[in-house]
């Protein structure tokens, strides 16, 4: 039920002065949006899961103050879970963000609108909209840099209609309908409206007018067309100050640029929250890491800056669970380049501990100094369906997730310092198994795919790759040793 519909940030601050709070529905999506905010100049802190820092530490001292920031990103694993669980974790993230002083809230979902008639985009939007009193809520999955665009309400993926793209046969969320207002209406009882491209091209005032008119007619959610980055900039400016905005990383970047423009104009500003840099210039002048990410065990005084320009070194390994077409192309390129591969055969070994032990025994048998190995469960859709028929969808996914986590921990114990994870669920399993709660956002291996550097004394770099992101040689390039990068730039 709708509680209230408000166009003002609940904190009572002027738009842009409070941190932007982002709730991402999976880990790779969170890194994508974090690096998009970083490019726009916002100091961004990235957390995996909702931080548990509401009380004192074990030694009785108060919780640490967060490092200076202008945006907070909380990464959840809520895309594929039951809708009630997604709503609960998103609510917890919202409460934590509000506790940190976040003003505007951004719900980040996948640029291919991954969902079913049961959710989870609609149910999570309903909860966040009620909790923030938002309405109408502007949203779009458009992300032109990743070849995701919305036109006349239809989503295009790689220049194909969503329902005709590879997402048509997604094993968990098959997307057969390209018209997003209809897709979203199946997931919510709230009315859904559309902002067409012609309106967007008339500018932010026209967009605000259509949003207001849609709200007056009772629409709660308004999907906006966008086919170019400039369209998302316009939408971002129009959405500045709305309690809740939703979409992929494209609109988040547009919103972040609006924050930056406000700061440059000096009218309302995007002052870093709890910082001694009132002009926010450190974010663009390189005097400090503009996108530090932290967990609650470090204070701002002890927080160390990551070298975001340095490509990480050390032994590498690839873990892949994505069955997307692009990931399969990347795996083929990797093995063709000489990387040894081990298939995680969950049907033959449906026990996660035994499956992980077999994989690590294989890893131990490899000669030292060879190409980075890949351990994978990625298969073509028809083979995936056979696995799911044999074990069931939930059981096969659960066994692979637990085994992947055990393998990740075992690889790090054996000296791996660069771990590349392909797929959202795979990335989540890796992060959870390694106990990563916060990380520095480093340089990008591909657009929207940054290296992240977990906090703490352990030297480790993670690359969390969405299944569809990156060129065909991404895994080859990311897993290459420093010497190989020099010889084959």
């Amino acid at each position: 039920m709708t509680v209230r519909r408000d166009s003002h940030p609940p904190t009572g601050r002027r738009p842009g002065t409070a941190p932007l709070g982002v709730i991402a529905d999976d880990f790779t999506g969170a890194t994508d949006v974090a690096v998009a905010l970083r490019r726009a100049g916002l100091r961004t802190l990235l957390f995996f899961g909702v931080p548990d820092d509401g009380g004192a530490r074990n030694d009785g001292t108060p919780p640490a103050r967060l490092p200076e920031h202008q945006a907070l990103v909380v990464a959840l694993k809520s895309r594929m879970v039951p809708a009630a669980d997604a709503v609960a974790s998103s609510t917890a993230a919202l409460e934590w963000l509000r506790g940190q002083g976040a003003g505007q809230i951004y719900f980040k979902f996948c640029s291919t609108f991954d969902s079913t008639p049961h959710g989870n985009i609609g149910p999570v939007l309903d909860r966040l909209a009620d909790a923030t009193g938002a309405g109408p809520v502007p949203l779009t999955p458009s992300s032109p840099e990743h070849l995701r665009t919305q036109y006349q309400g239809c989503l295009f993926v790689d220049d194909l209609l969503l329902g005709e793209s590879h997402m048509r046969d997604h094993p968990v969320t098959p997307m057969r309908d390209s018209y997003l207002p209809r897709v979203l209406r199946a997931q919510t009882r709230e009315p859904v409206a559309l902002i067409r491209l012609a309106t967007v091209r008339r500018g932010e005032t026209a967009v605000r007018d259509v949003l207001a008119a849609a709200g007056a007619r009772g629409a709660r959610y308004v999907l906006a067309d966008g086919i170019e980055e400039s369209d998302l900039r316009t939408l971002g400016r129009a959405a500045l100050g709305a309690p809740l905005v939703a979409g992929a990383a494209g609109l988040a970047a547009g919103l972040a640029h609006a924050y930056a423009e406000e700061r440059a104009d000096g009218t309302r500003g995007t002052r870093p929250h709890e910082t001694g840099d009132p002009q926010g210039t450190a974010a663009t002048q390189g005097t400090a890491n503009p996108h530090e990410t932290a967990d609650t065990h470090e204070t701002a005084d002890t927080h160390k800056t990551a070298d975001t320009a340095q490509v990480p070194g050390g032994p590498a390994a690839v873990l892949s669970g994505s069955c997307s077409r692009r990931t399969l192309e990347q795996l083929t390129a990797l093995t063709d380049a000489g990387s040894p591969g081990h298939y995680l055969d969950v049907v033959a070994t449906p026990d996660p501990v035994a499956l992980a032990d077999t994989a690590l025994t294989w890893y131990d048998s490899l000669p030292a100094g060879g190409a980075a190995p890949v351990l994978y469960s990625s298969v073509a859709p028809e083979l995936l369906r056979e696995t799911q028929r044999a074990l069931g969808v939930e059981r096969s996914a659960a066994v692979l997730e637990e085994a992947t986590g055990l393998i990740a921990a075992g690889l790090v114990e054996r000296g791996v310092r660069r771990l590349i994870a392909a797929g959202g669920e795979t990335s989540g399993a890796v992060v959870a198994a390694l106990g990563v709660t916060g990380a520095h956002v480093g340089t990008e291996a591909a657009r929207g795919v940054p290296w992240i550097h977990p906090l703490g004394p352990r030297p480790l770099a993670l690359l969390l790759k969405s299944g569809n992101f990156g060129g065909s040689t991404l895994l080859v390039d990311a897993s290459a040793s420093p010497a190989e990068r020099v010889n084959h730039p």
Side-chain angles (χ1 to χ4, degrees), residues 5-32:
R5 299 189 181 187
D6 194 345
S7 60
H8 303 286
T11 61
R13 305 188 194 193
R14 293 172 300 173
T17 62
L20 173 65
V22 179
I23 301 170
D25 68 354
D26 84 337
F27 285 10
T28 57
T31 59
D32 181 25

Side-chain angles (χ1 to χ4, degrees), residues 312-340:
V318 178
L319 284 169
S320 179
S322 170
C323 295
S324 73
R325 183 181 304 170
R326 178 49 55 90
T327 295
L328 296 177
E329 292 173 357
Q330 293 164 342
L331 288 172
T332 297
L334 184 64
T335 53
D336 285 350
S339 286

